[in-house]
Amino acid sequence: MGQAAILTVDDDPSVSRAIARDLRRRYADRYRIVRASSGDEALEALRELKLRGDRVAVILADYRMPQMNGIEFLEQAMDLFPHARRALLTAYADTDAAIQAINVVDVDHYLLKPWDPPEEKLYPVLDALLDAWQAGGDQELPGIRVVGHRWSEPSFQIRDFLARNLVPYKYFGADEPEGRRLLEAAGFGPESVPMVVTAEGRALPHPTVQQVAEVAGLSTVPDRDFYDLVIVGGGPAGLGAAVYGGSEGLKTLLIERQAVGGQAGQSSRIENYLGFPDGISGAQLTDRARRQADKFAAETLTTREVVGLRADGSARTLTFADGGEISAHAILLATGVSYRPLLAEGVAGLTGSGVFYGSAATEGPACSGTDVYIVGGANSAGQAALFFARYANRVTLLVRGDSLESSMSYYLIQQLAAVANIEVRTRCEVIGAQGDGHLQAITICDSKDGTKATVECGYLFVFIGAEPRTDWLGETLLRDDKGFIRTGTDLLLNGERPRGWDRDRDPFYLESSVPGIFAAGDVRASSVKRVASAVGEGAMAVALVHRYLEAQ
């Protein structure tokens, strides 16, 4: 297989020559640069590449072209190379249209013309697009293969774990010819699924998530017994702290029980994060942050669940679910929040079989032609509705409140209103779910008129509530009545420091009731539940850890 292609299409000959020249200057040693002067010519080039079995990494299309504009071209190009990264070339006057196009054809970026100097305005964007394509593009078949059932919760959990950790894999249904061949070759039957087959040909029936992590090459064992800083939770706050901790020379360990990114990592698109005017998916943002933490030698563990915390003199010690322990000078708790269970009849038994918590992006293509219902009225629910609307026949957003205005960002409300196959129903709740082996229908109560109705439903995605993952702390740290960790001035009662506080100072802003244990992000009481604020708190926590260590 030859070099992957970067294709550029622009009807202005001078612009076309200029961008091809700049691309060859930097990427010709690794990628084939293909230039076209019209949408039709570019589509013909893509068809030839497809027939030859070649790959396309990035497509750059001019927004304004006669006969077929850049958006129309990219819509057709997606059918040929759906995993290629896409960018629009646009003049300043067209930026509003370009941003709107992001929601139509899932454009990854737009570039303003002219882009001089390319070292500042072109190459960084292309580098990021190529990195993202290499991480999850249409490469050769990955080494890991998964055999499972479509409506099996264990099968979904393995696929979701691999996808959220950006591990390439190929999935086969146990009733598909290739799935049956793999089971037969391994000497197993359908009762052994889910089954994971490694690149070396080793078959694992009913593997645990930790076993999958190990064969996927993810780190599950720490390199040392003692660190300067251990971070529990790999969401935006934890990743922010890992980047700053590593970059400032602290021996830093980040522990994540499932996949880095947290709830933000599952978001189909984040559009109000500083520095990304055209938006970025949670997976892309997570991947960049993870690679940035790796660059600064911050260590990351996955599939390790922390179940205990104690102070050992000047050390702070964490206990894992398997009985192992790890200690550090300082601990940062950034465990975030989890979605609250939907307590409706029949839901629990169908979880993973049509009922999902969070966006479960791996289910997107499977939703094609079905009716999807989403429960929740916050930003995460709105972003999921936009994502699944690309696949589903119809998406219905069920909101318990009177409107979206009090819980969802204005820009998302506007986008939802502009998509024809999205409906928003307020003052509605799901009170039941039905299905034989998988979800087939739900019962909705409309509190506006008190009516109940059972409707066909192929998929139900739940985004309700925010419960902190802090039960494992017991009485170690002070928490509020909802379980969120109290920090800083919230610990002072009538000016008095918390009981047991052994320092001649008040707690630092993000410090808990035990000195040297900090909290950041959504798990912290009184925090602002936004990605940007979580990242900021993670960075701030590292500065406070330095102050704590200096005073030791």
Side-chain angles (χ1 to χ4, degrees):
M1 186 174 290
Q3 289 179 317
I6 299 175
L7 181 140
T8 174
V9 52
D10 198 304
D11 66 309
D12 186 326
S14 62
V15 174
S16 181
R17 286 192 300 270
I19 193 166
R21 177 200 66 220
D22 289 340
L23 292 176
R24 290 192 182 99
R25 183 182 301 161
R26 186 174 179 96
Y27 304 106
D29 61 328
R30 293 164 287 158
Y31 297 91
R32 178 184 174 191
I33 310 303
V34 179
R35 180 161 65 100
S37 59
S38 70
D40 287 331
E41 182 182 329
L43 287 173
E44 184 60 32
L46 290 175
R47 293 187 187 102
E48 291 181 9
L49 291 168
K50 189 72 174 180
L51 289 173
R52 290 201 299 263
D54 290 336
R55 298 166 297 158
V56 176
V58 173
I59 301 173
L60 306 175
D62 182 39
Y63 176 65
R64 290 202 179 198
M65 292 188 294
Q67 283 81 51
M68 183 187 302
N69 66 35
I71 298 172
E72 294 167 339
F73 161 71
L74 287 174
E75 284 185 296
Q76 297 187 49
M78 286 171 64
D79 294 333
L80 294 167
F81 290 95
H83 301 293
R85 299 293 165 168
R86 298 171 287 276
L88 276 177
L89 303 175
T90 179
Y92 181 79
D94 296 325
T95 54
D96 287 344
I99 292 172
Q100 292 173 7
I102 290 166
N103 299 305
V104 177
V105 294
D106 197 24
V107 173
D108 296 292
H109 213 285
Y110 69 88
L111 288 162
L112 289 175
K113 299 187 289 186
W115 51 82
D116 289 330
E119 289 78 11
E120 295 180 11
K121 298 183 179 180
L122 175 64
Y123 297 151
V125 173
L126 263 293
D127 288 345
L129 293 177
L130 290 167
D131 285 346
W133 176 79
Q134 288 170 349
D138 49 350
Q139 314 290 312
E140 296 180 71
L141 285 181
I144 291 180
R145 286 155 291 171
V146 179
V147 181
H149 290 300
R150 179 184 178 188
W151 299 115
S152 160
E153 183 178 7
S155 297
F156 164 73
Q157 288 176 342
I158 289 176
R159 290 187 293 119
D160 187 60
F161 173 78
L162 290 170
R164 291 182 60 189
N165 281 282
L166 302 177
V167 177
Y169 72 95
K170 184 69 176 178
Y171 176 78
F172 301 97
D175 55 351
E176 296 176 3
E178 184 62 18
R180 289 195 295 268
R181 283 192 288 268
L182 286 170
L183 286 169
E184 183 179 352
F188 296 124
E191 72 282 353
S192 298
V193 300
M195 181 180 75
V196 170
V197 182
T198 69
E200 297 76 26
R202 178 187 173 199
L204 302 174
H206 301 298
T208 65
V209 172
Q210 187 163 2
Q211 288 176 315
V212 175
E214 290 170 355
V215 300
L218 299 174
S219 179
T220 60
V221 179
D223 289 342
R224 60 179 72 232
D225 296 324
F226 197 90
Y227 291 82
D228 295 321
L229 172 63
V230 172
I231 303 159
V232 185
L239 286 168
V243 168
Y244 278 89
S247 68
E248 294 179 12
L250 296 178
K251 291 179 174 59
T252 302
L253 172 68
L254 185 150
I255 302 170
E256 170 54 51
R257 67 189 184 108
Q258 186 173 19
V260 293
Q263 287 188 8
Q266 295 180 279
S267 175
S268 57
R269 185 165 293 277
I270 301 169
E271 296 191 67
N272 56 354
Y273 188 67
L274 185 67
F276 296 91
D278 48 355
I280 185 171
S281 73
Q284 288 175 309
L285 185 63
T286 295
D287 183 50
R288 293 183 186 188
R290 179 190 55 77
R291 289 189 284 115
Q292 199 170 8
D294 289 345
K295 170 185 173 182
F296 293 120
E299 189 182 338
T300 300
L301 297 187
T302 56
T303 68
R304 299 300 298 271
E305 184 175 5
V306 176
V307 297
L309 170 64
R310 70 177 186 271
D312 285 334
S314 62
R316 303 293 179 258
T317 300
L318 294 164
T319 303
F320 294 118
D322 61 5
E325 294 185 342
I326 195 77
S327 297
H329 289 300
I331 301 289
L332 173 63
L333 302 178
T335 50
V337 295
S338 58
Y339 292 117
R340 195 170 66 241
L342 178 59
L343 302 178
E345 185 178 356
V347 167
L350 294 169
T351 300
S353 301
V355 176
F356 302 95
Y357 289 86
S359 61
T362 53
E363 299 301 301
C367 293
S368 179
T370 67
D371 288 337
V372 170
Y373 284 79
I374 295 175
V375 181
N379 280 9
S380 54
Q383 290 158 351
L386 291 169
F387 173 75
F388 288 112
R390 286 184 269 166
Y391 302 97
N393 178 50
R394 187 162 191 81
V395 175
T396 303
L397 198 63
L398 300 175
V399 183
R400 186 172 59 178
D402 293 329
S403 69
L404 291 173
E405 278 70 14
S406 62
S407 57
M408 187 178 293
S409 296
Y410 176 75
Y411 79 91
L412 268 177
I413 297 174
Q414 297 299 106
Q415 289 179 9
L416 292 174
V419 180
N421 65 332
I422 294 179
E423 178 186 3
V424 178
R425 294 182 58 183
T426 58
R427 294 177 64 185
C428 288
E429 295 185 64
V430 174
I431 59 173
Q434 302 84 37
D436 183 11
H438 64 89
L439 180 67
Q440 294 169 310
I442 60 173
T443 302
I444 301 170
C445 177
D446 188 331
S447 62
K448 291 189 293 292
D449 52 21
T451 59
K452 299 177 183 178
T454 298
V455 297
E456 290 186 3
C457 175
Y459 288 84
L460 179 69
F461 297 93
V462 181
F463 298 83
I464 57 173
E467 295 183 336
R469 298 168 179 165
T470 58
D471 290 345
W472 60 276
L473 289 170
E475 302 298 321
T476 306
L477 303 181
L478 291 179
R479 296 176 287 157
D480 67 12
D481 56 357
K482 294 182 180 178
F484 293 93
I485 299 170
R486 295 185 183 275
T487 60
T489 56
D490 284 348
L491 293 167
L492 304 180
L493 182 62
N494 298 322
E496 295 292 325
R497 295 165 185 161
R499 181 180 302 176
W501 185 260
D502 61 357
R503 295 294 193 276
D504 189 22
R505 60 169 176 82
D506 290 346
F508 294 136
Y509 178 63
L510 300 178
E511 198 169 20
S512 73
S513 56
V514 175
I517 299 176
F518 299 82
D522 289 359
V523 74
R524 190 178 69 84
S526 305
S527 66
V528 177
K529 307 300 188 273
R530 288 290 185 270
V531 174
S533 60
V535 173
E537 287 194 3
M540 184 191 302
V542 172
L544 297 175
V545 166
H546 278 296
R547 291 178 60 185
Y548 170 78
L549 295 177
E550 290 167 0
Q552 285 292 92

